[in-house]
Amino acid sequence: MANVHPTAVVEDGAQIADEAVVGPYCIIGSTVTLNPGVELMSHVVVAGNTKIGAGTRIFPHACIGLPPQDLKYKGEKTYLTIGENNIIREHATLHPGTASGKGETRVGNNCLFMVNTHVAHDCQVGNNVVMANNAVMGGHVSIDDFAIIGGNSAVQQFVRI
């Protein structure tokens, strides 16, 4: 059975692996999947059609899978897929895709998203990517494996790194 803190809110339908840990005051939506070894520290919100890969650790106040910040988004069924062994630090935001884009935002494995990073709608992030504090991506960005995005950097939409 998953280790879910009694103050966490987990909506019916959420799929939480037995080896996952959901800390205090987390909110998990009904269409979320947390794989084995996922750890949500505290005050983490995971919503939408979001799948989080095994071994991923998410720190307080991260917002994962909330509706994208795109005026064309009208609630369509879109996805956020996060790979394995990622570290998502405090106040990071990762959004799902849009119907006018690929319909999915995808993050690879072994990535580090430091404090206040933002992965916008329809982004594709490779493996072993590091985004330093306050680095942000606009929509439809592709970042290949082993890229490092420096602190306070902004990546314009539709860019490939």
Side-chain angles (χ1 to χ4, degrees):
M1 184 168 157
N3 181 0
V4 178
H5 193 276
T7 61
V9 175
V10 179
E11 293 181 3
D12 289 341
Q15 297 178 20
I16 302 176
D18 288 343
E19 300 82 10
V21 176
V22 177
Y25 303 104
C26 292
I27 301 173
I28 311 300
S30 63
T31 53
V32 169
T33 300
L34 304 180
N35 283 298
V38 169
E39 181 181 4
L40 309 181
M41 301 282 182
S42 71
H43 299 87
V44 174
V45 176
V46 185
N49 298 303
T50 299
K51 293 181 182 175
I52 301 177
T56 293
R57 297 176 65 212
I58 304 178
F59 286 74
H61 304 288
C63 295
I64 311 297
L66 294 171
Q69 299 175 58
D70 184 328
L71 294 174
K72 295 182 299 300
Y73 181 76
K74 303 296 183 209
E76 302 88 356
K77 187 173 184 178
T78 58
Y79 301 89
L80 170 61
T81 303
I82 298 172
E84 298 180 350
N85 302 312
N86 291 292
I87 298 171
I88 301 171
R89 294 303 304 245
E90 298 84 356
H91 301 281
T93 56
L94 288 82
H95 290 175
T98 61
S100 62
K102 295 181 179 187
E104 179 181 32
T105 299
R106 181 174 288 277
V107 172
N109 303 319
N110 307 307
C111 297
L112 170 59
F113 299 92
M114 294 184 194
V115 172
N116 289 333
T117 53
H118 176 65
V119 178
H121 60 87
D122 302 294
C123 288
Q124 308 295 306
V125 179
N127 299 311
N128 303 293
V129 170
V130 175
M131 288 184 66
N133 295 0
N134 303 310
V136 297
M137 287 187 248
H140 311 278
V141 169
S142 292
I143 298 182
D144 287 342
D145 296 348
F146 297 100
I148 298 172
I149 309 300
N152 297 316
S153 296
V155 181
Q156 180 72 24
Q157 65 263 26
F158 298 103
V159 168
R160 179 173 181 226
I161 297 176

